Amino acid sequence: MSSDRPIRRIAINTGGGDAPGLNAVIRAATLAALHNGWEVLGIRRGYMGILEREVDGEPGVIPLTAHAVRGITHLGGTILGTTTRGNPFGLEVRQPDGTWGTMDRSGEIVGRFREMEIDALVAIGGDGSLNIAHALHEKGLPVIGVPKTIDNDLRATDVTFGFATAVEVATDAIGRLHSTAEAHQRVMVVQLMGRHTGWIALESGVAGGADVILVPEVPYSIELIAEKVRERDASGRRFSIVVVAEGARPRGGEPSYADPTGRYGGIADRIAAELAEATGKETRSMVLGHMQRGGSPIASDRNLALRFGAAAVRCIQEGALGTMVALQGQSIRAVPLKEAVGDIKRIEPDNDMIITARQLGISFGD
Ligand code: F6P
């Protein structure tokens, strides 16, 4: 893992929730690295494959050849598998007394990379995974991060891959809800992903013609949403579409949680019930959920992912380790990993999409 000898072997892993475009990054990074004459290894299920040697009865580390990455650009998911429970600094382990504890196995990862003579890791992940990658880099692992998340909440990059596809899926769903909403004169409430930020809700809500968009960054008042619905009714538009990010919360209140582990959920049901009560209208709620993460990436996500994968290899070549590839304007740049992690990118009140939405008459419930 020393930077003074030529690169011979690199590894790639994918961590956290899947996002459309992961396979495109894997393909581009692999082909670019093979082109340089390097060997490429894929680590399965985050860091589990390097810690356990075997994962689900298969080798934890697999060779990524040109054949292995053939025809995967358009495929959702990740050929390497992923996990949201694989933080090597705090892996869940069953204690002898049957209770669960955590164990730090990060040192083992650095050791395994040395043993296997892997010169650099391309870590593809969102905020959580890139935080882990950054911490491993501080421990001596040469890392390049690639920003992934449908939530688009990573700083230092204009956009993450996977986001555009999620917006497309959500926009289509909102469009389809219009039919039933209008035919039955109902209020339809649709819950989209976005725990801490409402990027998907904002962009798909505007594109899909929502009447109300609720995001975590703008706490709402149910009375103001009801007022908007009543106003529409009075003007002859007897249906309304409410788009809500899963992490949205009422003024002075908390987000809705699906369970005690902190998973978000339930906000659409809650708003639909409260709006039925406040307006006397028939309301329905739906949760789009993982539909937003699955399936084939749209062209712009494929291209962004391919660009990120190729750029990650250029970074390794140039010795720009401890960085994350980022889209800034039209260019792909390498930014220090520590600038990219730590805090997330929230929607600011003066965001142009927010201003545009307000000019279109869309309510944020505030
Ligand atoms: O980070 C992406 C995300 O899609 C969030 O918006 C969502 O809350 C979360 O993943 C759900 O993850 P899972 O249900 O797979 O644990």
Side-chain angles (χ1 to χ4, degrees), residues 82-99:
T82 188
T83 174
T84 48
R85 304 174 73 182
N87 180 354
F89 289 88
L91 277 176
E92 287 176 19
V93 280
R94 183 78 93 171
Q95 316 275 33
D97 64 359
T99 59

Side-chain angles (χ1 to χ4, degrees), residues 16-19 84 126-127 148-153 192-197 200 246-247 262-264 289-290 292-293:
D18 65 322
T84 48
D127 188 47
K148 163 241 64 163
T149 163
I150 64 161
D151 294 340
N152 195 33
D153 58 359
L192 303 179
M193 281 188 168
R195 283 167 293 178
H196 310 296
T197 64
I200 299 175
E246 61 190 347
R263 285 177 53 77
Y264 288 77
H290 295 84
Q292 294 156 95
R293 289 220 312 237

Side-chain angles (χ1 to χ4, degrees), residues 69-126:
V69 299
R70 189 161 291 153
I72 62 169
T73 301
H74 66 291
L75 297 181
T78 157
I79 59 165
L80 296 175
T82 188
T83 174
T84 48
R85 304 174 73 182
N87 180 354
F89 289 88
L91 277 176
E92 287 176 19
V93 280
R94 183 78 93 171
Q95 316 275 33
D97 64 359
T99 59
W100 287 93
T102 57
M103 191 179 177
D104 181 354
R105 296 185 66 186
S106 55
E108 277 177 66
I109 293 178
V110 181
R112 283 280 284 152
F113 266 72
R114 293 216 167 101
E115 217 175 277
M116 295 179 71
E117 299 187 324
I118 303 172
D119 299 302
L121 170 70
V122 175
I124 315 170

Side-chain angles (χ1 to χ4, degrees), residues 151-153 163 197-203 345-347 351:
D151 294 340
N152 195 33
D153 58 359
F163 172 63
T197 64
W199 294 104
I200 299 175
L202 177 62
E203 295 224 354
K345 180 175 69 184
R346 294 186 172 79
I347 305 170
N351 177 283

Side-chain angles (χ1 to χ4, degrees), residues 194-198 213-222 225 243-257 264 266-268 270-271 274 346-347 364-366:
R195 283 167 293 178
H196 310 296
T197 64
I213 299 175
L214 306 175
V215 295
E217 291 90 336
V218 186
Y220 66 82
S221 142
I222 202 77
I225 305 170
V243 169
V244 55
E246 61 190 347
R249 60 196 160 89
R251 277 182 192 165
E254 289 295 313
S256 297
Y257 295 100
Y264 288 77
I267 187 77
R270 176 176 166 181
I271 289 173
E274 290 175 358
R346 294 186 172 79
I347 305 170
F364 288 87
D366 64 335

Side-chain angles (χ1 to χ4, degrees), residues 9-288:
R9 183 176 297 133
I10 67 162
I12 303 175
N13 75 347
T14 51
D18 65 322
L22 281 169
N23 285 321
V25 179
I26 295 170
R27 175 172 157 83
T30 300
L31 293 183
L34 293 174
H35 184 77
N36 286 351
W38 306 345
E39 190 188 338
V40 189
L41 301 173
I43 303 173
R44 295 182 49 238
R45 285 181 64 81
Y47 293 94
M48 295 318 292
I50 200 128
L51 286 172
E52 299 302 339
R53 291 172 201 247
E54 274 205 354
V55 176
D56 305 325
E58 309 260 347
V61 174
I62 54 170
L64 289 178
T65 58
H67 177 71
V69 299
R70 189 161 291 153
I72 62 169
T73 301
H74 66 291
L75 297 181
T78 157
I79 59 165
L80 296 175
T82 188
T83 174
T84 48
R85 304 174 73 182
N87 180 354
F89 289 88
L91 277 176
E92 287 176 19
V93 280
R94 183 78 93 171
Q95 316 275 33
D97 64 359
T99 59
W100 287 93
T102 57
M103 191 179 177
D104 181 354
R105 296 185 66 186
S106 55
E108 277 177 66
I109 293 178
V110 181
R112 283 280 284 152
F113 266 72
R114 293 216 167 101
E115 217 175 277
M116 295 179 71
E117 299 187 324
I118 303 172
D119 299 302
L121 170 70
V122 175
I124 315 170
D127 188 47
S129 309
L130 292 180
N131 257 302
I132 295 168
H134 178 236
L136 285 170
H137 181 74
E138 304 253 279
K139 274 195 119 155
L141 197 83
V143 172
I144 299 288
V146 177
K148 163 241 64 163
T149 163
I150 64 161
D151 294 340
N152 195 33
D153 58 359
L154 273 172
R155 288 191 305 167
T157 183
D158 292 355
V159 73
T160 51
F161 73 84
F163 172 63
T165 305
V167 168
E168 204 63 29
V169 170
T171 302
D172 180 60
I174 297 165
R176 286 168 191 274
L177 287 176
H178 271 85
S179 318
T180 310
E182 190 158 12
H184 291 262
Q185 303 191 338
R186 285 177 183 161
V187 177
M188 304 292 274
V189 185
V190 56
Q191 179 179 312
L192 303 179
M193 281 188 168
R195 283 167 293 178
H196 310 296
T197 64
W199 294 104
I200 299 175
L202 177 62
E203 295 224 354
S204 63
V206 173
D211 305 298
V212 178
I213 299 175
L214 306 175
V215 295
E217 291 90 336
V218 186
Y220 66 82
S221 142
I222 202 77
E223 192 34 50
L224 292 176
I225 305 170
E227 213 171 282
K228 172 76 183 172
V229 171
R230 285 190 217 105
E231 258 171 45
R232 283 180 52 80
D233 269 25
S235 73
R237 306 293 282 157
R238 297 188 187 283
F239 69 95
S240 292
I241 305 277
V242 179
V243 169
V244 55
E246 61 190 347
R249 60 196 160 89
R251 277 182 192 165
E254 289 295 313
S256 297
Y257 295 100
D259 60 44
T261 66
R263 285 177 53 77
Y264 288 77
I267 187 77
D269 287 349
R270 176 176 166 181
I271 289 173
E274 290 175 358
L275 279 182
E277 173 82 26
T279 63
K281 286 186 74 71
E282 214 185 343
T283 63
R284 293 287 188 274
S285 63
M286 69 157 298
V287 178
L288 199 55

